[in-house]
Structures are given as structure tokens and as C-alpha cells.
Amino acid sequence: MSRPDAQPIPSPHFRLPASPRPDLSIVVPVYEEAAVMPVLVERLGAVLNALSVSAEVILVDDGSGDETLAEIIKAQARDPRFKGLSLSRNFGHQIAISAGLAEARGSAVVVMDGDLQDPPEAIPSLWAKHREGFDVVYAVRASRPEGWPKRVAYAAFYRLLNQLVSISIPLDSGDFGLMSRRVVDLIVAMPERRRYVRGLRAWVGFRQVGVPIDRGNRYAGRPKFTLAKLIGLAIDGLIGFGEGPLRPVGGLGLAAVGLSLIGLIGALARGLVGWGFAAGWAWVAMGLVFFGGVQLISAAILGEYVGRILQEVNARPLYVARSRVGLEPADRGEDLSLNAWLIPDDSLRHAQPLP
Ligand code: UDP
Ligand code: MG
């Protein structure tokens, strides 16, 4: 594949001279957030100025169809601390975060949502805790503005998750938080395609601490997470961290088999002592439905695991980037493990400062 206009990708042996590491990188996935971008850029800029650390902000445009990328280019022109990576299509929140982590060069990296639900003003308290020696400082939601059905669903999910999986993922914490360089390096080096970043972050270990932070309201626009995407994320969290969910299903199956055996023996005994057999078809129908259900659940859970194995075996790149705004030219040596591809898009050439 040699397109005349494709950027040559240097071999891993050829390293570009690295510019000095900033103290802090902020990774923000943004999907169709053009309406929020100006305020986001302004509030983030103010917070970073006040914190007086060297910083970069990596805005990951997750294949937006609106003016999000144009806003990123504008922000970069005004303040070179703002940089952008634009993905070739919508890859989803968790992959956008992973792409940002692969690009982030800071000694510490903050991940936050782009809709201002994670307040930029909380970054100094994350940074202060990090300076006390913590590798991971995650925001624990002190309050949520969402209505009660969503709050109850979240609370139930996080408690179920901790019962079922083999690592303990902090309750009521999202992706908003700070990670040290070594934690980011480890997460970027993890090859899995289905990424549940807060789970990977908990898995890494070291010193981790939560700080209570109020979750604000979305600044503008509609939530980009559909119910289906939220359920998908929940399944990734449940399935991605061990065999936990298979066990209760196995238990249910065993219990069902045990019960049916007792019932069978009972029914036979009744017949033998001459009390007559219980009326048949209703029981048979109920039994069929019940065992059919157990089998479907088991098959579905197994299917989730098999699907994941297929995805890992395919080993497609995690994402494709179409343009880079203010980022150093791709040095494939840095995110080889994520196996990301950079295919520049002709229509966006102006966005790429060539080396
Ligand atoms: N987002 C993204 N890709 C997606 C969906 C969302 O990058 O496919 C971004 C979105 O722009 C926002 C963040 O992820 O910055 C959280 O999304 P949203 O506010 O819709 O989620 P919620 O707050 O409802 O969990
Ligand atoms: Mg939101």
C-alpha cells in the first residue's frame, strides 16, 4: 500500500528526538461536542494556568460528524497546549480514551469527559493527591445529577460487578481520574481490544485513592451514550475480568438439575405407592420453559466469551487515526502494542503539521 501522499511511518528503530515531557496531560474524548468545545477549552485553560504546571490537552475526536475537529484546530491555533487526534470513525468512548492515553506524554495523565460533567476545576485536587505519592487518583461521585432510575441502575451495577469479578473496581467511580506515567505505560501496553479502562486501571494496582467530586450536568447537547452502549460497557466490565459471571450460571444449572431429579424421584415414588401420577403436561411445559431459559442464559454468557476470543484472535488495530493536530509525528515505537494505524485524510491535510 504505497499511496504517494501517505505519511511515511518511521520504523521503531528510528526515534524522533523527544521534546521534554509535560508535567500533566489531560485526555478528553469528544464525540460531536462542538457546542461544548469553546467553554471546555476556556475552563481547562484557566485551570491549567492557575495550576502552573507544564501541560498538554489531548482532545480525541471520536469520529464526530459536526464541527468538533474544526473547534480543536481553532483551540490549537490559539493555545498550542491543546492538541488533537481525530479517529477515522466513531470507535467509542473507551477506545477514544485509549487512543488519547497512547498519545499522552505527561508524567501524569488525567482522563475526563468532554461535556463538562467532570468539572475541570477538580483537576488541582487530583494533582495534589498525586503529589502526595498516589499513582492513581480517581474521582468518586459524591453526587449525580441524573434521575433516580439511572442512579439506582449505576449503584446496583457497581455492586454486582464487585461481587462477580476477580479484581475490586472502586464503587461509584468512572474514568475521571489521574494516573501516573507508569500506570499509563502499563495500560497502553495491554493488548486487549475490549477495553474497560477503569477496570484496567484498578488491575494495575500500586497506590490508589478516591477523592469525592460532584458530577455536574452536561453543558450542552445530548448524552452520546445510548442505553445499548451503556449495557455494552457494563458487559465489558463484567466479562473482561475473569470467569465470575460463569459461576452463578453454573450454580443455577446445577440447582435446576438437582431440583428436577428430586421431582422425578418424588413423582416415581407416588406412582409406585399407588397415589397416581401428578397431572402431566403443565409440569412438563413449565420444566421446558425453565430449562430452556437456563440454557439460553448459559449459551449467551459463553457466547460473550467466545466473541471476545474471536476479537482478540483477529487482532485488528484498535483504532485508525485520520489526522493529528499539533501532535508530534507518529512514532510507531510508542504505541506498537495498541497497533494503531495512521491514515491521513486528504481533506484534512491542513490539520497536519508535517515534520
Ligand atoms: N464519547 C465519545 N465517543 C462515544 C460516546 C461518547 O468519545 O461514542 C465522549 C463524549 O463526547 C463525552 C464522553 O465521551 O465527552 C462521555 O459521553 P456522554 O456524556 O455521552 O456519557 P454520559 O455522561 O451520559 O455517561
Ligand atoms: Mg456526559
Side-chain angles (χ1 to χ4, degrees):
M1 189 203 74
S2 88
R3 282 172 47 188
D5 54 349
Q7 251 184 45
I9 293 176
S11 88
H13 307 292
F14 169 74
R15 287 280 182 148
L16 292 151
S19 52
R21 257 187 209 300
D23 297 321
L24 194 57
S25 300
I26 317 281
V27 168
V28 194
V30 279
Y31 176 53
E32 314 211 320
E33 303 284 11
V36 190
M37 291 292 294
V39 190
L40 173 73
V41 168
E42 193 197 306
R43 276 172 62 180
L44 256 179
V47 166
L48 294 176
N49 291 340
L51 199 55
S52 63
V53 293
S54 56
E56 63 173 4
V57 179
I58 313 238
L59 300 159
V60 183
D61 164 29
D62 189 12
S64 307
D66 66 354
E67 294 299 299
T68 300
L69 180 56
E71 290 291 336
I72 295 177
I73 293 167
K74 245 194 259 171
Q76 150 79 22
R78 264 194 235 121
D79 181 346
R81 289 177 300 180
F82 287 85
K83 303 168 184 182
L85 180 74
S86 182
L87 306 185
S88 64
R89 64 168 170 86
N90 181 242
F91 280 87
H93 184 225
Q94 298 291 306
I95 290 187
I97 291 177
S98 302
L101 290 179
E103 294 293 341
R105 303 196 53 259
S107 309
V109 181
V110 166
V111 173
M112 61 178 282
D113 281 357
D115 60 354
L116 295 170
Q117 280 202 286
D118 299 333
E121 291 72 23
I123 292 173
S125 60
L126 301 178
W127 175 250
K129 268 280 176 228
H130 172 58
R131 298 295 298 233
E132 285 173 27
F134 288 97
D135 279 276
V136 172
V137 187
Y138 52 86
V140 180
R141 281 146 188 180
S143 68
R144 265 183 186 280
E146 282 102 354
W148 70 265
K150 210 169 172 182
R151 287 207 312 270
V152 169
Y154 275 117
F157 169 69
Y158 281 114
R159 278 155 189 86
L160 176 71
L161 182 63
N162 270 5
Q163 291 303 310
L164 289 183
V165 304
S166 46
I167 54 159
S168 109
I169 295 174
L171 295 177
D172 300 319
S173 68
D175 293 314
F176 187 29
L178 177 148
M179 292 176 269
S180 66
R181 172 50 42 194
R182 60 178 173 175
V183 171
V184 173
D185 283 345
L186 284 164
I187 291 180
V188 171
M190 291 179 193
E192 56 237 80
R193 275 44 324 246
R194 287 292 190 103
R195 302 180 79 80
Y196 186 64
V197 175
R198 66 200 79 160
L200 301 177
R201 185 179 69 188
W203 183 93
V204 167
F206 299 124
R207 295 186 70 198
Q208 309 212 353
V209 68
V211 291
I213 282 165
D214 287 320
R215 190 158 163 80
N217 273 313
R218 162 172 273 282
Y219 178 77
R222 288 181 297 109
K224 307 301 181 300
F225 259 92
T226 56
L227 184 62
K229 275 189 181 177
L230 273 178
I231 292 173
L233 184 64
I235 292 178
D236 280 348
L238 281 172
I239 305 282
F241 290 92
E243 319 57 49
L246 282 176
R247 292 207 187 111
V249 174
L252 195 62
L254 271 181
V257 169
L259 274 175
S260 66
L261 276 179
I262 293 172
L264 192 69
I265 293 167
L268 279 175
R270 266 177 76 111
L272 287 177
V273 298
W275 291 355
F277 292 98
W281 66 268
W283 295 99
V284 174
M286 281 203 307
L288 273 180
V289 171
F290 181 70
F291 291 112
V294 170
Q295 283 177 7
L296 279 181
I297 295 172
S298 319
I301 294 191
L302 280 175
E304 287 286 340
Y305 284 100
V306 175
R308 252 142 258 253
I309 295 171
L310 176 68
Q311 215 176 16
E312 301 298 334
V313 170
N314 277 343
R316 279 188 208 122
L318 194 58
Y319 57 88
V320 178
R322 62 183 171 191
S323 64
R324 307 162 67 78
V325 185
L327 289 167
E328 286 177 18
D331 175 357
R332 291 300 84 186
E334 299 226 341
D335 52 356
L336 263 188
S337 56
L338 283 181
N339 186 19
W341 287 349
L342 172 71
I343 309 294
D345 178 337
D346 293 341
S347 65
L348 294 164
R349 289 203 68 136
H350 61 279
Q352 298 158 38
L354 292 171

